[in-house]
Amino acid sequence: MKNHVTLEASNITRRYKSSGRGVTGVSLAVGRSEIVGLVGPNGSGKSTLLRVLSTAIEPDSGTFRVGGADGVKEKRKVRARLGLMLDRPTHYDDLSGRANAYLFARSYGMDEEKADRALAELFDYFDLTPYADDRVKTYSYGMGKKLALIEAIAHGPELLLLDEPSLGLDYTSQLAYQRKVRQLAAEGVAVLLASNQVDEVETLCDRVVFLHRGRVLSVGTPEELVSSLEGVKRIVATLRNPVDYGPVANVAGVERVAPEGRDLVVHCEDRPNVVADVVAGIVAAGGEIADLAVRRPSLADVYLELTGEALRDED
Amino acid sequence: MKISRWLQRLDAYWKKDVALFFGKRFALVIKMVYPMALIAPVAASDIPAQYAAAVVGIVAIMAGTFGAGESLTADLNDGILLRIALTPISPRRIVFEILAVNAALDFVQLLPALLLVYVLNPAPLVWVLAATVAVFATLLAANCIGVFIANFTSSPADVLLYATAILVPLIYLSGFFRNQNPTGVLATVRDLVPFAYANDALKAVFGEAARATPLEVLVYPTLIAALMALGVCLTAPRLLSPRL
């Protein structure tokens, strides 16, 4: 962890009475200039944890501090230090993008001149300047996401909480957003990023926190976590038809089999002919293979190895 | 600074509602025309003062309650209000601004029709002043009811249902149609309903003797509406938290 701690959460528990889901005993810290990825499938507790840390809901137990301010007792102080981007962008659709962003900037206490300067720079950075005075209802989903990101960072937060920030962004915008997050981190901002885009998490994050059924499963740098799968081969078969993949699991050397959407992800020993044997197993199970890839293990594989569950739900 | 530019400079939450009010021209025309369309024929007719006052009072109550409740639940459902509530602005201030600006905008909507009433039905200045203040207090109280209802439902349709359930007894107590000369408990309860004072003042404007004095009409509904506003502002942390 770099420098001093910006976010320190200790034993956060918050369960929903209706579903019993939530988070239990979660402790984590994000240091200044650090980017931490929060990774887990739907229902693992990522959004609940972000809700607690954003002060939207109170924990049943546990404490957290942002820049030294208590997240339960000093909510407004904490809010002033946060930059927040929810997974679904939400704006006043009948107002312009600029008016929305200006409202947020001023709500965070920026003066007129600073707000104007920061917003002009960010609208320009995210290529939204030509649309700044258009009503938000004319924006695409991706433009709405970029606007939400501008609203999250314009006031210069100490801690940035991002929920699936790149979902819905085109490739160029994703790169622009990643550059901006790196730049902010370099300037001292702590970033907690909830995402299931493992490529993004691997390239962007200094550390990764795996959440599983509301609890912290594992913490480490992406390299540490992925290297735990050394000697494991990852075979991804895209199938035209769903199959009973039980027989594939019986192929010699296969450690785990899990569906991810239309893909069947197979973890196996790195031994000669294992790919041919796995393919034969899939074919024998009645699977028609549309595409096949042998890849190096990713964070998604680490998660699968640790929990036996795929990071992304079956489609 | 041009008004359109001013409306884009949202340096306070309440300005957002002003910008949205004036920003949609067709909706603005409808908003300004419908109170006039309902009140002008009444103001120009010679129907009994009791019913003329009732029409003006009920238009004010409906505009205040449904406007605030429905727009608030829509913003809550959309998530934008919860997002605003996660800025350092105090939730109580947000709710206060919602109340104050919506009451003021409702008043702007009603004002032309109200002025027409005063022109067509000349009344002592003190009653004109009392009626104007009481109508504003009615709008504020009605907005309080709308915001209060938004604490219990996230459906704009439910707002209509709950509002009707709350407003019908209050309208009865206020003496718009029945309960004109209440006694005992009904009289005491009537005195606590701010709409009753608007009814009294409007009756006086339309030429009928009022139950309350102009001073009572100026002071009591203002105090009651202020207390209601305070109470509703205290619900702000609950109102502006996620519905889970």
Side-chain angles (χ1 to χ4, degrees):
Chain A
M1 199 181 304
K2 298 173 190 173
N3 298 328
H4 71 269
V5 174
T6 300
L7 167 69
E8 195 167 19
S10 177
N11 276 314
I12 298 284
T13 295
R14 170 71 203 222
R15 311 296 299 184
Y16 299 118
K17 283 177 193 143
S18 52
S19 65
R21 281 192 190 155
V23 290
T24 306
V26 172
S27 297
L28 60 86
V30 185
R32 193 174 140 81
S33 289
E34 191 181 28
I35 307 175
V36 172
L38 205 53
V39 176
N42 294 342
S44 61
K46 299 191 301 292
S47 295
T48 303
L49 185 59
L50 287 190
R51 276 184 186 148
V52 170
L53 298 178
S54 68
T55 73
I57 57 176
E58 285 190 11
D60 297 332
S61 61
T63 57
F64 69 100
R65 302 184 84 82
V66 177
D70 189 303
V72 177
K73 292 175 187 156
E74 299 172 290
K75 281 184 189 161
R76 286 176 64 193
K77 268 190 190 170
V78 167
R79 287 171 183 167
R81 291 167 188 184
L82 288 181
L84 180 63
M85 183 185 174
L86 309 168
D87 56 344
R88 193 172 57 92
T90 174
H91 298 101
Y92 288 107
D93 288 348
D94 285 310
L95 297 176
S96 70
R98 198 194 304 276
N100 270 281
Y102 191 76
L103 174 62
F104 275 98
R106 296 303 300 266
S107 299
Y108 277 104
M110 293 184 90
D111 68 31
E112 196 174 339
E113 196 184 321
K114 274 187 185 165
D116 280 337
R117 200 170 49 237
L119 292 181
E121 193 184 303
L122 287 167
F123 272 82
D124 201 34
Y125 181 85
F126 286 109
D127 296 324
L128 280 183
T129 303
Y131 315 100
D133 293 316
D134 294 351
R135 289 183 179 193
V136 171
K137 66 178 166 195
T138 66
Y139 281 22
S140 68
Y141 182 80
M143 290 162 77
K145 281 287 260 220
K146 288 197 270 187
L147 180 59
L149 200 52
I150 290 172
E151 290 162 355
I153 62 184
H155 58 284
E158 289 176 40
L159 171 67
L160 200 50
L161 299 178
L162 305 172
D163 196 358
E164 300 287 0
S166 64
L167 204 65
L169 291 183
D170 59 52
Y171 184 64
T172 315
S173 302
Q174 277 188 28
L175 293 180
Y177 133 75
Q178 288 183 7
R179 267 201 316 274
K180 179 54 77 176
V181 169
R182 279 198 197 95
Q183 181 200 326
L184 290 168
E187 290 166 2
V189 178
V191 182
L192 182 61
L193 158 73
S195 174
N196 279 343
Q197 314 286 311
V198 286
D199 292 346
E200 172 184 86
V201 173
E202 280 188 49
T203 56
L204 202 55
C205 296
D206 300 312
R207 278 191 308 134
V208 175
V209 175
F210 278 140
L211 277 182
H212 181 244
R213 297 181 185 174
R215 292 174 189 274
V216 173
L217 182 71
S218 184
V219 183
T221 67
E223 297 77 26
E224 283 167 0
L225 291 166
V226 172
S227 67
S228 69
L229 290 184
E230 212 167 309
V232 174
K233 205 164 224 162
R234 179 182 197 243
I235 301 168
V236 181
T238 305
L239 303 180
R240 288 193 202 283
N241 56 324
V243 295
D244 170 18
Y245 50 83
V248 183
N250 294 329
V251 171
V254 168
E255 294 176 359
R256 281 191 188 282
V257 184
E260 274 189 26
R262 287 175 60 211
D263 294 342
L264 198 61
V265 180
V266 181
H267 287 178
C268 51
E269 285 173 18
D270 194 1
R271 67 163 175 79
N273 295 326
V274 73
V275 178
D277 291 347
V278 167
V279 169
I282 294 171
V283 172
E288 195 179 336
I289 299 173
D291 195 13
L292 187 79
V294 181
R295 294 176 183 149
R296 73 175 187 86
S298 68
L299 286 174
D301 300 301
V302 179
Y303 194 87
L304 179 62
E305 194 68 21
L306 290 171
T307 64
E309 291 175 19
L311 205 47
R312 281 182 296 160
D313 292 341
E314 277 187 78
D315 292 341
Chain B
M1 192 186 291
K2 282 175 66 181
I3 185 105
S4 59
R5 182 167 153 70
W6 183 84
L7 289 177
Q8 293 294 315
R9 309 292 286 173
L10 303 179
D11 52 7
Y13 183 76
W14 63 268
K15 273 195 182 178
K16 181 272 300 176
D17 282 322
V18 178
L20 289 174
F21 184 83
F22 289 107
K24 292 189 269 187
R25 283 183 195 151
F26 181 69
L28 178 62
V29 170
I30 300 288
K31 281 178 194 168
M32 297 305 290
V33 163
Y34 97 82
M36 185 64 92
L38 291 171
I39 292 172
V42 172
S45 74
D46 54 3
I47 63 169
Q50 171 197 344
Y51 298 115
V55 169
V56 179
I58 286 174
V59 168
I61 292 169
M62 296 300 176
T65 308
F66 295 148
E70 285 197 278
S71 65
L72 193 59
T73 47
D75 281 356
L76 286 168
N77 282 338
D78 194 39
I80 180 65
L81 204 47
L82 301 181
R83 176 67 188 89
I84 293 278
L86 292 176
T87 66
I89 305 177
S90 142
R92 291 185 182 92
R93 181 176 150 187
I94 294 173
V95 171
F96 175 75
E97 288 189 23
I98 290 171
L99 275 176
V101 77
N102 276 288
L105 291 173
D106 291 340
F107 188 70
V108 168
Q109 273 179 262
L110 273 180
L111 193 58
L114 212 50
L115 290 175
L116 185 70
V117 168
Y118 298 150
V119 169
L120 296 178
N121 300 273
L125 194 59
V126 68
W127 275 118
V128 170
L129 180 65
T132 307
V133 169
V135 166
F136 184 78
T138 293
L139 289 168
L140 184 59
N143 273 281
C144 287
I145 292 171
V147 174
F148 179 72
I149 291 169
N151 270 283
F152 302 100
T153 177
S154 55
S155 156
D158 282 353
V159 169
L160 292 175
L161 184 68
Y162 296 169
T164 306
I166 292 175
L167 291 179
V168 165
L170 292 180
I171 287 171
Y172 171 80
L173 285 168
S174 302
F176 283 106
F177 298 106
R178 308 292 295 269
N179 198 36
Q180 295 276 316
N181 298 298
T183 54
V185 176
L186 278 180
T188 306
V189 176
R190 183 188 191 272
D191 288 344
L192 297 173
V193 181
F195 309 152
Y197 298 92
N199 188 32
D200 281 344
L202 287 165
K203 274 191 211 166
V205 167
F206 282 109
E208 190 175 295
R211 196 168 167 271
T213 65
L215 184 64
E216 286 171 334
V217 172
L218 283 166
V219 174
Y220 291 147
T222 308
L223 279 177
I224 296 166
L227 282 174
M228 287 173 77
L230 181 68
V232 167
C233 286
L234 292 176
T235 70
R238 176 195 148 87
L239 179 69
L240 301 182
S241 59
R243 311 284 163 95
L244 302 170

